Amino acid sequence: MNDTSAWSTLKHLLLEKPLGAIGFYLIVLMILSALLANFISPYNPLKTNFGNALQGPNFFHWMGTDTFGRDIFSRLLHGAQTAMLIGFSTSLLGSILGALLGVMGAYFGGKVDLILQRVLDVFMAFPIIIMALAVVAAMGTGTFNLIIAIAIPIIPRVARVVRSSALAVRQTTYVEAATALGSSHSRVILRHMMPNVMAPFLIMITAQLGQAIVLEASLNFIGLGVAEPTPAWGLMLRSAIDFAESAPWMGIFPGLAISIAVFAFNVFGDSLRDVLDPKLG
Amino acid sequence: MQQYIAQRLLLMIPTLFGVALFIFLLMRVLPGDIVEIRFTSEGGFVSEEMIQIERARLGLDQPLPVQFIKWMYGLIGQPSVDAQFPFIHLQAPDLGVSMWTGRPITEEIAIRFQLSLQVAIMGTLLSILIAIPLGTLAAMYQDTWIDYSVRIFSVGGLAIPSFWLGILIILFLLNTFNWIPPFIFTPIWEDPGKNLTQLIWPTLAIGYSYSAIATRMMRSSMLEVLRDDYVRTARAKGLLEHVTVVRHVLPNAMLPVITVVGLEFAFLLGGLVVTEQVFNLNGIGKLFVEAINHRDYTLTQALVLLVAVTFIFVNFVVDLLYAAFDPRIKYE
């Protein structure tokens, strides 16, 4: 897939799929607010001001303030940084590793494939969050560990889907030609097979993004993700429970942010799948 | 069929062994000594000697293979004395002792399993109750406002994580009735009313989230079946539309939904980890988070294994159900 076809796919999606287009613009909006958070947020997300604690939404604090008097709107914008950073890095990392394993299984076939499949079976025997929790349990919390913990359960799921496409690519004449010309294994895999499983690869990346964001929020919510005072949506919800009565806005806005993010990635992913691979619909 | 079941059961063994090995290695081989981490997190000065004693007490001073074999040995159960049925062990597997509380893990899990299982079952039932009628309606009235409302409702289920819905439910109860569900678990046979006032809320939160995928599945599978030849035949011979749908379409359309719902049931056990936290329920999920926070490696290990075993087993049962409901499928 070269630049022009990627561009035309996107243009097609934006024109033909209104829901997917909404998702796309929401994603762009979230990426922009993550990138520009430092410039556009009205307050410092980390600055505590106990005189201002637990204010309801008002003219100065659109979404109110939390128990430490921090501005919730500013924290949401900075929380987008955490969500986008972790969402994109985990789904990219997990999908790239998964795609490599899937293509390798399809390319080598035989025993290599069989062993890979069995190992992936083992990894698929865990619900995603349990797998992530097991990794957190072993490695500890923190942003880097969180990325690893979310990326690992993505690997086998992507590997499965990519492998089935790669099996067909393996049979094509250009792979045969490349092999006949004496290309090395890594050259055939990286230069000839990987580019041709781009469609399922992209579909899987977007499909995993929404899930990665929910997972990130869940782990933060149960206190096994990034640490306070880092602004993260799940972490903001965690502290909201105790103030459900006196400050309901603390639990409403971060949750809305998560929902909008997941909604955007889901509808964009669905539309992308429809456009790239109508058979999978 | 019997042969197929036996084959599937045998194939589970390597997967389960792999799961056990993976968890075991994950917990032991990664950097950071369990005992040291636990002592330092408690604060205060700890001598090297104390660490050695604690390691020995937990059996961590033994070589890894020995530790693994011991763990496996406990899991499979002691060799049966009963020579007639050497493969049947009715005694519960010994999962070892919790590193934190010192109590047997089987006991720790047993107290909490009841609650989680009940929420999981009720959540699954609720998601079926939502998915089948809504999915059917959406398909029968495709591209009308009914269809659009159902689709928006189900996209909402995907986008609203169950823990946020849980928080919203608590916010609603607090601000409308000034009441929150009780924290103490009452078994359903002791006092069904009390039991439900506690567990109905997490069930709502989970059931809605999990109905989303099942509703979408039900809709698309209904749409497919509605276009089948035998449905046209049924209509052509003059059957009333609702008779056609109930007798001919629904039974066939429900098949793929069974798979989805079955898988969801297994996922629910995982999803409970977060939801139990919201409602402060003392179930498996909460135990799991506590185990991780306390760096209770034996307990974490046991819980992960429990979830994986449930997951694999439910998958297997779903496959069998599929064959039972669809006479066209024969496993040889």
Side-chain angles (χ1 to χ4, degrees):
Chain A
M1 179 173 293
N2 54 35
D3 283 351
T4 49
S5 89
W7 181 238
S8 69
T9 307
L10 184 62
K11 225 161 76 182
H12 176 68
L13 190 152
L14 294 181
L15 291 175
E16 303 284 315
K17 306 272 175 191
L19 211 54
I22 294 175
F24 176 76
Y25 293 125
L26 283 174
I27 294 170
V28 171
L29 187 72
M30 280 184 297
I31 295 176
L32 282 180
S33 50
L35 289 176
L36 301 176
N38 290 333
F39 307 106
I40 56 176
S41 64
Y43 296 89
N44 180 340
L46 303 180
K47 193 165 186 298
T48 57
N49 180 352
F50 289 98
N52 265 341
L54 294 180
Q55 281 190 24
N58 58 41
F59 182 75
F60 299 104
H61 300 281
W62 296 349
M63 297 182 182
T65 58
D66 66 6
T67 34
F68 297 102
R70 296 176 297 198
D71 181 51
I72 291 184
F73 179 60
S74 306
R75 286 181 69 74
L76 277 190
L77 288 177
H78 283 82
Q81 283 181 339
T82 315
M84 295 299 125
L85 170 77
I86 293 181
F88 277 100
S89 58
T90 54
S91 58
L92 267 177
L93 182 68
S95 301
I96 289 173
L97 289 177
L100 267 177
L101 285 179
V103 170
M104 272 167 63
Y107 174 76
F108 289 111
K111 268 198 186 119
V112 177
D113 192 29
L114 194 75
I115 293 171
L116 262 178
Q117 290 307 306
R118 287 287 82 79
V119 172
L120 292 179
D121 270 353
V122 168
F123 278 67
M124 293 280 282
F126 304 96
I128 287 187
I129 188 166
I130 298 293
M131 182 87 190
L133 279 172
V135 177
V136 169
M139 294 177 51
T141 55
T143 309
F144 177 75
N145 289 349
L146 193 61
I147 290 174
I148 304 287
I150 298 175
I152 287 180
I154 292 176
I155 296 173
R157 289 165 174 84
V158 175
R160 279 243 164 130
V161 174
V162 169
R163 176 180 169 269
S164 58
S165 307
L167 280 176
V169 175
R170 175 85 178 93
Q171 303 301 324
T172 54
T173 38
Y174 56 81
V175 169
E176 205 178 312
T179 319
L181 281 169
S183 306
S184 64
H185 291 318
S186 59
R187 190 179 164 80
V188 177
I189 289 175
L190 294 175
R191 295 299 299 275
H192 298 282
M193 290 185 70
M194 283 294 269
N196 286 293
V197 291
M198 262 309 149
F201 178 68
L202 285 177
I203 291 169
M204 286 310 282
I205 287 188
T206 45
Q208 301 304 321
L209 262 164
Q211 203 157 26
I213 287 178
V214 175
L215 199 53
E216 179 249 355
S218 310
L219 290 175
N220 283 330
F221 179 74
I222 51 182
L224 294 172
V226 300
E228 278 280 7
T230 313
W233 298 337
L235 211 53
M236 292 169 76
L237 280 181
R238 177 180 171 77
S239 50
I241 294 192
D242 299 330
F243 298 91
E245 203 165 5
S246 52
W249 57 87
M250 279 176 68
I252 288 175
F253 295 112
L256 264 179
I258 298 172
S259 285
I260 291 172
V262 176
F263 169 81
F265 282 116
N266 275 344
V267 292
F268 179 70
D270 278 3
S271 309
L272 188 70
R273 185 193 56 197
D274 288 350
V275 172
L276 284 179
D277 194 349
K279 279 173 303 187
L280 282 176
Chain B
M1 190 70 188
Q2 274 167 345
Q3 202 188 347
Y4 172 77
I5 295 177
Q7 212 177 353
R8 280 290 302 263
L9 282 172
L10 279 178
L11 269 176
M12 275 185 204
I13 296 173
T15 311
L16 283 176
F17 182 77
V19 167
L21 188 64
F22 169 74
I23 284 304
F24 180 83
L25 289 179
L26 192 65
M27 294 294 146
R28 323 255 153 171
V29 170
L30 280 162
D33 182 283
I34 301 160
V35 177
E36 265 174 50
I37 294 171
R38 277 187 50 206
F39 275 133
T40 46
S41 68
E42 281 163 33
F45 174 77
V46 186
S47 70
E48 187 61 28
E49 198 183 347
M50 275 171 76
I51 289 177
Q52 291 308 331
I53 294 171
E54 182 68 6
R55 286 179 63 100
R57 189 181 73 81
L58 296 171
L60 294 173
D61 52 347
Q62 290 160 331
L64 282 182
V66 175
Q67 288 183 38
F68 183 69
I69 289 168
K70 274 196 174 164
W71 185 47
M72 283 283 101
Y73 187 77
L75 279 180
I76 297 163
Q78 287 68 38
S80 173
V81 207
D82 192 343
Q84 275 180 311
F85 303 102
F87 295 111
I88 297 171
H89 300 281
L90 286 175
Q91 93 237 49
D94 178 13
L95 292 164
V97 176
S98 158
M99 283 185 177
W100 184 260
T101 60
R103 292 168 65 186
I105 288 173
T106 327
E107 208 175 283
E108 293 274 7
I109 291 178
I111 318 171
R112 294 166 174 92
F113 196 62
Q114 208 184 333
L115 184 151
S116 299
L117 192 67
Q118 194 192 336
V119 177
I121 291 175
M122 292 200 311
T124 310
L125 287 179
L126 180 66
S127 74
I128 297 174
L129 284 177
I130 295 175
I132 289 182
L134 287 190
T136 309
L137 278 176
M140 284 174 68
Y141 300 97
Q142 194 191 359
D143 292 330
T144 63
W145 64 270
I146 299 180
D147 187 21
Y148 292 129
S149 336
V150 169
R151 281 160 74 183
I152 290 172
F153 182 77
S154 75
V155 169
L158 278 183
I160 300 174
S162 57
F163 61 95
W164 188 45
L165 188 57
I167 293 178
L168 290 182
I169 289 175
I170 289 184
L171 281 182
F172 171 77
L173 291 174
L174 257 177
N175 290 305
T176 327
F177 302 108
N178 210 2
W179 175 85
I180 46 166
F183 293 141
I184 315 274
F185 174 64
T186 325
I188 192 156
W189 52 85
E190 273 177 25
D191 187 345
K194 225 178 190 175
N195 172 281
L196 288 178
T197 46
Q198 183 191 21
L199 297 187
I200 199 84
W201 313 107
T203 303
L204 277 178
I206 283 181
Y208 175 46
S209 287
Y210 282 84
S211 72
I213 297 172
T215 308
R216 281 155 66 115
M217 195 74 192
M218 186 70 203
R219 177 180 173 274
S220 62
S221 123
M222 276 290 289
L223 283 176
E224 216 167 275
V225 178
L226 277 170
R227 286 176 178 73
D228 271 344
D229 286 342
Y230 57 83
V231 175
R232 197 173 43 211
T233 311
R235 281 181 181 149
K237 71 180 182 184
L239 277 188
L240 289 171
E241 184 65 17
H242 69 263
V243 179
T244 317
V245 169
V246 171
R247 277 223 205 114
H248 297 278
V249 183
L250 266 181
N252 289 299
M254 265 156 60
L255 280 173
V257 182
I258 295 175
T259 321
V260 173
V261 169
L263 287 179
E264 275 177 0
F265 178 76
F267 270 106
L268 265 178
L269 289 172
L272 278 174
V273 170
V274 192
T275 315
E276 281 177 6
Q277 215 69 16
V278 179
F279 290 95
N280 213 348
L281 298 176
N282 199 10
I284 293 288
K286 199 158 176 248
L287 185 67
F288 199 171
V289 176
E290 279 169 12
I292 295 175
N293 276 329
H294 292 153
R295 305 208 170 260
D296 188 340
Y297 286 63
T298 41
L299 185 54
T300 311
Q301 213 168 272
L303 284 170
V304 174
L305 194 66
L306 177 77
V307 173
V309 169
T310 318
F311 196 65
I312 293 172
F313 189 72
V314 169
N315 267 332
F316 169 64
V317 173
V318 166
D319 274 358
L320 292 185
L321 276 181
Y322 214 93
F325 281 107
D326 190 345
R328 286 168 301 188
I329 297 174
K330 279 210 177 68
Y331 295 121
E332 296 299 341

